[in-house]
């Protein structure tokens, strides 16, 4: 929201069904100084210019060197392409999800380090371990889905290194604070959003590409589907207002204060577990699932009804009016 001139994009997809995201990599350049300046600029360029993975590779090859990049770019296209590009100041290494020797289970995971970087400086190891376990179990049961990514992965409460599962030690209720260390889980104090771009299958219209979006902390905010449309019809609560911020993010931050009420010292490292999850199922995180499953079911029904012809202006207006009601119910507005 500080990018008032709109020079950067930090994840999304375009009208060709090309999608991109990134994770900062802290081990791919010799030093970390000055290497995180252009990721948002390059991602905006990619969304403006690219339709395929090959287009993105051409874009990277043509950037002036040093590129001032230190990132793992995750990219998909509407032709079935899917890869990570571990990118540093002078070039990149591609990891293709369609290559069985690279991705035997059909997926690739990255947190904040690159496999082609200096492995002594890996960051995000705990989060990688947590995600790896979730993906592996789900893939064995053919259970990889956008719901899994949003509800189970982005909100995972099992620590990858210690093995602590916060659900197993949840308090009876939220009557009194119960503080617990909260470092290096997949969702962190600083996590500000989640997106899952659901691409299309062969012969499906590109218009059906869906960006499931959590605008705010995944611990306090439900996911909402977003579709590109020429009329620019989106949920009003997800658009910047006169302050430059979105209402849903403001609401998310208010709930986040309940989870991290200690504002001094190391307060952000300690979560009030009783406010997050409790055996009476009144925790903030537990309340998300009810409204979110309604949104998912409603969305899937709408997509099916719209069919191959896609959505109309009226369809989206009606859809987001209903979503708005569900959000007001969740945030108790």
């Amino acid at each position: 929201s500080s990018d008032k001139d709109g020079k950067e994009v930090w994840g999304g997809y375009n009208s060709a069904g090309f999608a991109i995201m990134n994770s900062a990599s802290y081990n791919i350049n010799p030093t970390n100084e000055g290497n995180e300046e252009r990721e948002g600029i390059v991602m905006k360029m990619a969304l403006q210019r690219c339709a395929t993975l090959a287009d993105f590779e051409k874009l990277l090859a043509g950037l002036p060197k040093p590129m001032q990049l230190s990132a793992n770019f995750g990219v998909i296209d509407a032709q079935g392409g899917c890869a990570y590009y571990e990118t540093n100041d002078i070039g990149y290494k591609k990891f293709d999800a369609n290559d069985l020797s690279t991705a035997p289970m059909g997926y690739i995971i990255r947190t904040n380090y690159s496999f082609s970087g200096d492995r002594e400086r890996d960051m995000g190891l705990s989060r990688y371990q947590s995600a790896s376990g979730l993906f592996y179990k789900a893939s064995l049961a053919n259970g990889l889905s956008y719901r899994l990514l949003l509800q189970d992965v982005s909100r995972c409460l099992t620590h990858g290194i210690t093995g602590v599962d916060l659900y197993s030690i949840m308090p009876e209720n939220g009557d009194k604070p119960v503080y617990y260390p909260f470092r290096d889980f997949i969702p962190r104090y600083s996590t500000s959003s989640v997106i899952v771009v659901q691409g299309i299958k062969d012969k499906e219209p590109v218009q059906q590409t869906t960006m499931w979006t959590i605008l705010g902390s995944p611990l306090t905010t439900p996911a909402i589907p977003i579709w590109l449309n020429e009329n620019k019809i989106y949920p009003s609560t997800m658009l910047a207002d006169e302050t430059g911020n979105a209402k849903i993010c403001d609401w998310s931050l208010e709930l986040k204060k309940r989870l991290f009420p200690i504002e001094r010292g190391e307060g952000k490292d300690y979560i009030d577990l009783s406010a997050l999850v409790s055996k009476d199922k009144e925790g903030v995180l537990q309340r998300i699932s009810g409204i979110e499953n309604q949104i998912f079911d409603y969305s899937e029904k709408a997509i099916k009804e719209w069919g191959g012809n896609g959505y109309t202006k009226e369809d989206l207006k009606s859809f987001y009016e209903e979503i708005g009601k569900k959000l007001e119910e969740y945030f108790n507005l």
Side-chain angles (χ1 to χ4, degrees), residues 248-315:
I248 194 171
C249 196
D250 291 339
W251 300 336
S252 171
L253 289 172
E254 284 301 311
L255 282 178
K256 184 178 170 183
K257 290 178 182 177
R258 299 186 193 177
L259 304 183
F260 298 92
I262 303 175
E263 298 181 356
R264 300 175 61 190
E266 296 76 33
K268 66 182 181 181
D269 291 334
Y270 295 90
I271 197 166
D272 180 358
L273 192 56
S274 67
L276 181 69
V277 291
S278 56
K279 291 181 180 179
D280 63 5
K281 298 184 179 180
E282 291 297 320
V284 171
L285 184 55
Q286 292 160 312
R287 289 185 58 240
I288 289 178
S289 60
I291 194 72
E292 193 171 67
N293 283 328
Q294 291 181 40
I295 292 173
F296 289 164
D297 292 342
Y298 181 67
S299 303
E300 290 176 2
K301 181 181 177 182
I303 294 170
K304 186 175 182 180
E305 290 176 351
W306 296 338
N309 295 324
Y311 38 77
T312 65
K313 180 178 180 180
E314 290 70 28
D315 287 334

Side-chain angles (χ1 to χ4, degrees), residues 180-232:
Y180 199 86
F182 197 74
R183 284 286 304 269
D184 300 323
F185 288 86
I186 288 179
R188 293 173 289 181
Y189 175 85
S190 60
T191 303
S192 58
S193 64
V194 177
I195 63 168
V196 174
V197 179
Q198 185 176 4
I200 58 169
K201 296 179 181 178
D202 187 32
K203 298 181 181 179
E204 288 182 336
V206 175
Q207 191 185 36
Q208 286 189 6
T209 304
T210 304
M211 188 169 80
W212 301 93
T213 308
I214 297 176
L215 190 57
S217 169
L219 300 177
T220 61
T221 315
I224 300 169
I226 298 295
W227 296 280
L228 275 177
N229 64 94
E230 61 183 14
N231 296 301
K232 298 184 179 180

